[in-house]
C-alpha cells in the first residue's frame, strides 16, 4: 500500500497522524513522527547532479543530524564510471570525468558539513568503493542481481530507471544499444543494497535512505510489487524543499 497525503497537506503525517503536526516551511522535518525508529540515515548524492549544491547539502545534513543519530552521505564513485562507459565514453574518459566530479562533490560535502555548526552526531562519507567492502554487501547485491535475472517486472522497471539516467549521461550522438542498457544497470545494482538492505549492511536496527525525488522503481519496491523488497527496518524518504 502506498499512502499519499491529502491535497494541500505537507505529508502523510499531516493527513493521517493521530495528533496535530506543527509544520513550518523552514523545517519540513517537524512533520516526521516522534523519534522512535529514526536511528540511521543515508543521504543519497550524485557526482553529476546539479541538485546537490553546497547550500542544499548543508540543509540536508542539518536536517538529518537533527532527526537521526547516525548520518552518512553515499557517493556512487565507481558505479558512475560504469554509467559513463555505457553512455559511450572510453574507460579512460569515464574514469577521468568521474574522478573530477567526485572530488568536486566531496569538497562540497565537506564544506557543507563544516558550515553546519549543529552537526554533532556521527557523520560518515560513504563512497561506494568502501561500502562494497562491508560484510554482507556482496550477498545483498547478489540478491538484487538474482531478482533482476528472474523477476521480469523488476527487470523491466530497472531498465526503465536506467534509461532515464543514461539519457543525461551519454555522450552526445551516442546511440544506446541493448548491451549499453544492461551494462548501465550495474549502477542500480550497486546502489540498491543501501536502499533495500541498510539495516543488514550497516548493522543497525533501522536505516533510512533519503533522496531528492521519487522513482517509480522505488515506489513499487516499497509497495511489495516485486519478488524483492526492503528488509524490516528499512525506510525511504523523499526530501523536498518548500518553495
Amino acid at each position: 500500500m502506498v499512502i499519499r497525503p491529502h491535497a494541500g497537506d505537507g505529508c502523510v503525517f499531516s493527513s493521517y497522524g493521530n495528533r496535530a503536526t506543527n509544520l513550518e516551511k523552514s523545517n519540513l522535518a517537524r512533520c516526521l513522527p516522534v523519534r522512535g525508529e529514526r536511528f540511521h540515515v543515508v543521504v543519497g548524492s550524485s557526482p553529476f547532479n546539479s541538485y546537490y549544491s553546497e547550500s542544499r547539502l548543508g540543509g540536508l545534513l542539518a536536517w538529518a543530524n537533527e532527526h537521526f543519530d547516525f548520518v552518512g552521505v553515499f557517493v556512487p564513485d565507481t558505479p558512475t564510471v560504469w554509467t559513463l562507459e555505457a553512455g559511450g565514453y572510453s574507460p579512460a574518459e569515464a574514469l577521468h570525468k568521474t574522478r573530477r566530479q567526485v572530488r568536486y562533490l566531496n569538497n562540497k560535502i565537506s564544506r557543507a558539513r563544516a558550515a553546519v555548526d549543529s552537526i554533532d552526531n556521527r557523520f560518515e562519507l560513504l563512497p561506494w568503493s568502501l561500502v562494497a567492502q562491508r560484510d554482507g554487501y556482496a550477498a545483498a547485491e547478489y540478491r538484487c542481481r538474482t531478482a533482476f535475472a528472474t523477476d521480469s517486472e523488476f527487470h523491466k522497471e530497472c531498465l526503465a530507471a536506467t534509461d532515464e539516467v543514461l539519457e543525461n549521461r551519454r555522450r552526445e550522438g551516442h546511440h544506446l544499444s541493448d548491451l549499453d542498457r544492461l551494462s548501465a544497470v550495474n549502477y542500480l545494482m550497486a546502489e540498491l543494497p543501501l536502499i533495500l538492505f541498510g539495516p543488514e549492511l550497516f548493522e543497525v536496527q533501522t536505516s533510512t535512505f533519503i533522496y531528492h525525488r521519487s522513482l517509480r522503481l522505488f515506489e513499487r519496491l516499497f509497495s511489495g510489487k516485486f519478488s524483492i523488497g526492503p528488509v524490516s527496518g528499512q525506510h525511504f524518504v523523499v526530501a523536498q524543499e518548500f518553495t
Side-chain angles (χ1 to χ4, degrees), residues 66-86:
E66 183 179 355
H67 296 279
F68 294 86
D69 300 312
F70 296 87
V71 180
V73 180
F74 175 63
V75 178
D77 46 9
T78 307
T80 300
V81 177
W82 303 334
T83 300
L84 293 179
E85 289 180 3

Side-chain angles (χ1 to χ4, degrees), residues 4-19:
R4 302 187 185 281
H6 295 314
D9 285 348
C11 69
V12 294
F13 302 109
S14 296
S15 299
Y16 304 102
N18 59 7
R19 62 175 180 158

Side-chain angles (χ1 to χ4, degrees), residues 6 34 43 79 109 118 131 133 139 157 204 209 212 239:
H6 295 314
V34 294
V43 179
I109 293 171
S118 63
V131 173
Q133 298 177 30
E157 204 66 62
V204 294
F209 194 92
H212 69 282

Side-chain angles (χ1 to χ4, degrees), residues 11-33:
C11 69
V12 294
F13 302 109
S14 296
S15 299
Y16 304 102
N18 59 7
R19 62 175 180 158
T21 56
N22 179 21
L23 180 62
E24 298 177 5
K25 288 192 174 183
S26 61
N27 189 1
L28 179 59
R30 289 187 179 275
C31 219
L32 289 171

Side-chain angles (χ1 to χ4, degrees), residues 144-238:
C144 297
R145 291 187 179 277
T146 299
F148 181 74
T150 59
D151 186 330
S152 60
E153 280 299 308
F154 181 63
H155 183 101
K156 182 168 63 176
E157 204 66 62
C158 285
L159 286 177
T162 298
D163 287 344
E164 185 177 342
V165 174
L166 274 177
E167 191 58 36
N168 298 319
R169 297 287 186 273
R170 65 185 176 91
R171 180 192 285 277
E172 185 176 356
H174 177 73
H175 298 288
L176 298 172
S177 66
D178 289 340
L179 187 60
D180 289 334
R181 298 174 71 214
L182 286 173
S183 178
V185 167
N186 287 323
Y187 182 108
L188 197 55
M189 295 297 110
E191 189 173 40
L192 280 176
L194 289 88
I195 297 172
L196 297 178
F197 310 123
E200 298 175 357
L201 192 59
F202 297 104
E203 300 180 314
V204 294
Q205 200 169 22
T206 66
S207 183
T208 300
F209 194 92
I210 295 180
Y211 200 54
H212 69 282
R213 66 189 183 96
S214 182
L215 293 176
R216 176 181 163 89
L217 170 63
F218 297 159
E219 291 188 7
R220 297 192 70 191
L221 276 168
F222 279 81
S223 300
K225 301 298 184 182
F226 306 121
S227 59
I228 190 173
V231 297
S232 176
Q234 177 68 59
H235 307 282
F236 185 90
V237 170
V238 177

